[in-house]
């Protein structure tokens, strides 16, 4: 059984984005692991394993336009099912 079920990935298109600020905020406010935040001040790629992907989507949508959203169920994938 996985501790964090959902692999959450997305892009944020915005202005004055700071990958360090985003990474610090997510790391201290949301439960999960495998956090990766990379990009520049207008485009950020985010990857995070969590049990509450909707909270990540809600936070990121406040930073800019979110797109290329992928939420995969890693538990289903582990059992050989489509995630």
């Amino acid at each position: 059984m996985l501790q964090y079920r959902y692999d959450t990935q997305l892009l944020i298109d915005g202005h004055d984005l700071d990958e360090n600020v985003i990474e610090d905020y997510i790391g201290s406010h949301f439960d999960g692991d495998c956090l990766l935040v990379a990009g520049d001040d207008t485009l950020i790629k985010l990857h995070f394993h969590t049990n509450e992907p909707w909270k990540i989507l809600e936070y990121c949508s406040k930073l800019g336009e979110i797109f290329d959203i992928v939420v995969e169920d890693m538990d289903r994938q582990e059992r050989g099912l489509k995630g």
Side-chain angles (χ1 to χ4, degrees):
M1 188 72 170
L2 299 169
Q3 183 175 5
Y4 300 106
R5 184 172 184 161
Y6 299 102
D7 177 4
T8 307
Q9 302 174 49
L10 57 90
L11 294 172
I12 307 168
D13 183 10
H15 302 284
D16 300 322
L17 298 172
D18 186 325
E19 63 186 290
N20 295 318
V21 170
I22 295 168
E23 184 174 27
D24 290 346
Y25 187 88
I26 290 174
S28 64
H29 288 85
F30 301 104
D31 196 25
D33 65 7
C34 297
L35 177 60
L36 174 64
V37 180
D40 58 29
D41 63 341
T42 61
L43 185 66
I44 295 286
K45 167 73 175 181
L46 182 131
H47 173 271
F48 190 52
H49 296 171
T50 183
N51 290 327
E52 301 172 316
W54 56 89
K55 290 184 178 182
I56 300 302
L57 297 175
E58 181 179 34
Y59 166 69
C60 291
S61 71
K62 294 176 184 176
L63 302 175
E65 183 178 1
I66 58 174
F67 65 103
D68 284 351
I69 300 163
V70 176
V71 177
E72 295 181 323
D73 186 332
M74 296 185 297
D75 181 59
R76 286 182 55 87
Q77 289 176 337
E78 191 174 74
R79 292 182 284 137
L81 303 171
K82 186 172 181 171

